Amino acid sequence: MTVREARAGDEDAIFALVQQLGHAFPPERCAFDATMSSYLAGEQPTVLLYVAEDDEGVRGYALTTIVPLLSTNGLSAQLQEIVVAEDARGKDYGTQLVKAVEAECERRGVRQLTVASRRAGGFYDRLGFHESAEYMRRFF
């Protein structure tokens, strides 16, 4: 298994993984393609998009955003999305994706990495995360 930055040619595999997320909004391919194009063109330097791949291709991805916050005295990152293919779960793909995100955050001087997750709390506990807030959202 290898973890690397997403690149052109990964779009179909990543879209298939996006469809495995629990969604408030059904994934639309045209919206996905527009967003992916901006990521791949480097138009979103505050977005990290990593994939985990093996001999079968892309098996997972992690999407992280980085912004300066007033409360953290600098940069803060949020792991927005992480998905591993069902048949690859429990095989360290998610852990390696998170470790790659953490390494890049440290390289960029990020002060904290947060994730909003109720379903995979045990996974994040094992990686050293701790609970600090409840996640709420509003749709527009």
Side-chain angles (χ1 to χ4, degrees):
M1 176 214 340
T2 303
V3 174
R4 59 169 174 79
E5 288 187 57
R7 60 181 178 232
D10 292 335
E11 296 90 344
D12 290 342
I14 294 172
F15 187 72
L17 290 164
V18 167
Q19 293 175 309
Q20 292 183 29
L21 285 170
H23 291 285
F25 303 100
E28 296 176 8
R29 186 59 194 246
C30 62
F32 169 88
D33 286 341
T35 302
M36 276 295 295
S37 291
S38 73
Y39 292 167
L40 296 175
E43 296 169 5
Q44 307 293 332
T46 60
V47 173
L48 306 176
L49 180 56
Y50 289 116
V51 298
E53 70 178 345
D54 61 18
D55 294 339
E56 294 183 42
V58 172
R59 310 290 281 144
Y61 80 89
L63 175 81
T64 305
T65 54
I66 301 173
V67 296
L69 296 181
L70 300 173
S71 61
T72 57
N73 301 314
L75 295 175
S76 179
Q78 172 130 10
L79 182 57
Q80 301 284 354
E81 300 175 5
I82 184 167
V83 183
V84 173
E86 276 190 57
D87 64 339
R89 292 179 189 161
K91 299 179 180 174
D92 211 33
Y93 291 79
T95 298
Q96 294 308 312
L97 283 163
V98 172
K99 287 183 183 282
V101 167
E102 289 175 338
E104 181 61 16
C105 285
E106 287 184 33
R107 189 187 74 73
R108 291 187 186 204
V110 170
R111 308 271 313 202
Q112 75 173 358
L113 173 61
T114 61
V115 61
S117 177
R118 290 185 179 182
R119 296 184 298 175
F123 170 74
Y124 295 108
D125 289 339
R126 288 189 300 278
L127 293 173
F129 286 75
H130 64 278
E131 189 174 330
S132 66
E134 185 167 332
Y135 179 77
M136 303 192 58
R137 65 181 170 180
R138 181 174 178 196
F139 299 114
F140 295 100

